[in-house]
Amino acid sequence: MTKQELEKAIENGESVWCVLLGRVEELKDLKFVGDLLKGYNKIDRFSHDITSEFFDGLYKTKAKAEHYLNHANVTRTETLPFLTWEEFLEETRLKFIACDGVSNMILYCCNNTIYLVDEEYPEFNTTSWDLTEENFYKAYDECVRLFKGEE
């Protein structure tokens, strides 16, 4: 929407919606006035002229504005579980998905050996070390490398 289209829509009583400060707001004119909140407490009142910097965030319907608010830039943060040597000996198993998003990796120990295995293709992607604390750190370094996708 251009500034002229926005002005005309508001003059004609059409709804114009924007996403501002994490919520959907209907614009009544080219100046947005709102309360800056922290929790349930009003911190300040602010006023902002709607300029071209907001045009990507203007919508003709509330549903489209809510769709943007709830679905734009959806991300997922994944964390590689951290295990100490002692925890590894107790747990004996660490599962994670490699950076490629496909390989389900398992770090485990069996018969005094540490194994790092791709669950899907164990015959092609298995690494092993003798069960020592030093080798656990090497194996965990490899887990981190796979998790991050480093070469």
Side-chain angles (χ1 to χ4, degrees), residues 82-94 107-114 130-137 140:
F82 175 76
L83 284 179
T84 63
W85 165 244
E86 293 78 16
E87 291 169 331
F88 179 67
L89 291 176
E90 289 175 21
E91 301 282 326
T92 67
R93 183 172 289 252
L94 169 68
L107 178 69
Y108 68 97
C109 65
C110 179
N111 298 328
N112 291 322
T113 304
I114 299 170
D130 291 334
L131 182 60
T132 66
E133 186 172 359
E134 183 180 338
N135 285 339
F136 165 74
Y137 297 128
Y140 203 85

Side-chain angles (χ1 to χ4, degrees), residues 2-3 8 15-16 38 65 82 89 110 112 115 121 140 146:
T2 66
K3 189 171 183 175
K8 189 170 184 137
S15 293
V16 177
K38 184 173 185 178
F82 175 76
L89 291 176
C110 179
N112 291 322
Y115 294 96
Y121 303 104
Y140 203 85
L146 291 168

Side-chain angles (χ1 to χ4, degrees), residues 3 7 11 18-19 25 31 39 51 63 65 67 75 141 148-149:
K3 189 171 183 175
E7 287 173 333
E11 285 173 12
C18 73
V19 175
E25 298 286 343
K31 185 175 287 258
T51 61
H67 175 66
T75 59
D141 285 344
K148 289 182 169 183

Side-chain angles (χ1 to χ4, degrees), residues 12 14-15 33 66 73 76-77 84 100 114 116-117 127-128:
N12 292 338
E14 297 175 29
S15 293
V33 177
E66 287 175 341
N73 303 316
R76 178 174 66 195
T77 302
T84 63
D100 64 11
I114 299 170
L116 178 58
V117 179
T127 308
S128 63

Side-chain angles (χ1 to χ4, degrees), residues 17-33:
W17 298 85
C18 73
V19 175
L20 184 65
L21 299 174
R23 62 182 186 260
V24 173
E25 298 286 343
E26 184 175 14
L27 298 177
K28 302 292 185 186
D29 58 31
L30 292 181
K31 185 175 287 258
F32 180 83
V33 177

